[in-house]
PDB file of all heavy atoms in Angstrom:
ATOM      1  N   PRO T  10       3.816  22.320 -34.331  1.00 97.00           N
ATOM      2  CA  PRO T  10       3.170  21.573 -33.284  1.00 97.00           C
ATOM      3  C   PRO T  10       3.007  20.081 -33.596  1.00 97.00           C
ATOM      4  O   PRO T  10       2.776  19.734 -34.734  1.00 97.00           O
ATOM      5  CB  PRO T  10       1.799  22.242 -33.125  1.00 97.00           C
ATOM      6  CG  PRO T  10       1.986  23.627 -33.638  1.00 97.00           C
ATOM      7  CD  PRO T  10       3.011  23.469 -34.766  1.00 97.00           C
ATOM      8  N   VAL T  54      16.569  21.530 -11.511  1.00 98.00           N
ATOM      9  CA  VAL T  54      16.992  20.158 -11.167  1.00 98.00           C
ATOM     10  C   VAL T  54      16.584  19.252 -12.280  1.00 98.00           C
ATOM     11  O   VAL T  54      15.479  19.424 -12.870  1.00 98.00           O
ATOM     12  CB  VAL T  54      16.307  19.755  -9.808  1.00 98.00           C
ATOM     13  CG1 VAL T  54      16.511  18.245  -9.587  1.00 98.00           C
ATOM     14  CG2 VAL T  54      16.827  20.576  -8.662  1.00 98.00           C
ATOM     15  N   PRO T 232      20.536  -6.408   7.347  1.00 98.00           N
ATOM     16  CA  PRO T 232      21.563  -7.231   6.729  1.00 98.00           C
ATOM     17  C   PRO T 232      21.597  -7.056   5.201  1.00 98.00           C
ATOM     18  O   PRO T 232      20.540  -6.829   4.593  1.00 98.00           O
ATOM     19  CB  PRO T 232      21.138  -8.662   7.081  1.00 98.00           C
ATOM     20  CG  PRO T 232      20.165  -8.512   8.177  1.00 98.00           C
ATOM     21  CD  PRO T 232      19.551  -7.161   8.080  1.00 98.00           C
ATOM     22  N   VAL T 292      -1.310  -4.390   3.416  1.00 96.00           N
ATOM     23  CA  VAL T 292      -1.998  -3.238   3.887  1.00 96.00           C
ATOM     24  C   VAL T 292      -2.393  -2.393   2.649  1.00 96.00           C
ATOM     25  O   VAL T 292      -1.507  -2.007   1.884  1.00 96.00           O
ATOM     26  CB  VAL T 292      -1.124  -2.405   4.797  1.00 96.00           C
ATOM     27  CG1 VAL T 292      -1.878  -1.217   5.320  1.00 96.00           C
ATOM     28  CG2 VAL T 292      -0.596  -3.234   5.985  1.00 96.00           C
ATOM     29  N   HIS T 306       2.434  10.615  15.118  1.00 98.00           N
ATOM     30  CA  HIS T 306       3.017  11.310  16.247  1.00 98.00           C
ATOM     31  C   HIS T 306       4.178  10.558  16.913  1.00 98.00           C
ATOM     32  O   HIS T 306       4.940  11.100  17.650  1.00 98.00           O
ATOM     33  CB  HIS T 306       1.992  11.686  17.292  1.00 98.00           C
ATOM     34  CG  HIS T 306       1.243  10.456  17.808  1.00 98.00           C
ATOM     35  ND1 HIS T 306       0.166   9.927  17.120  1.00 98.00           N
ATOM     36  CD2 HIS T 306       1.519   9.681  18.849  1.00 98.00           C
ATOM     37  CE1 HIS T 306      -0.237   8.832  17.763  1.00 98.00           C
ATOM     38  NE2 HIS T 306       0.577   8.625  18.809  1.00 98.00           N
ATOM     39  N   VAL T 481     -19.226   3.350  -4.903  1.00 97.00           N
ATOM     40  CA  VAL T 481     -18.433   2.947  -6.070  1.00 97.00           C
ATOM     41  C   VAL T 481     -18.103   4.196  -6.847  1.00 97.00           C
ATOM     42  O   VAL T 481     -18.900   5.103  -6.905  1.00 97.00           O
ATOM     43  CB  VAL T 481     -19.143   1.839  -6.955  1.00 97.00           C
ATOM     44  CG1 VAL T 481     -20.534   2.278  -7.332  1.00 97.00           C
ATOM     45  CG2 VAL T 481     -18.328   1.548  -8.223  1.00 97.00           C
ATOM     46  N   LEU T 511     -12.549 -10.089   7.103  1.00 92.00           N
ATOM     47  CA  LEU T 511     -12.993 -10.779   5.890  1.00 92.00           C
ATOM     48  C   LEU T 511     -11.986 -10.601   4.735  1.00 92.00           C
ATOM     49  O   LEU T 511     -11.228  -9.650   4.767  1.00 92.00           O
ATOM     50  CB  LEU T 511     -14.355 -10.325   5.459  1.00 92.00           C
ATOM     51  CG  LEU T 511     -15.502 -10.370   6.482  1.00 92.00           C
ATOM     52  CD1 LEU T 511     -16.793  -9.748   5.901  1.00 92.00           C
ATOM     53  CD2 LEU T 511     -15.731 -11.838   6.950  1.00 92.00           C
TER      54      LEU T 511
END
Side-chain angles (χ1 to χ4, degrees):
V54 169
V292 183
H306 58 274
V481 52
L511 305 176

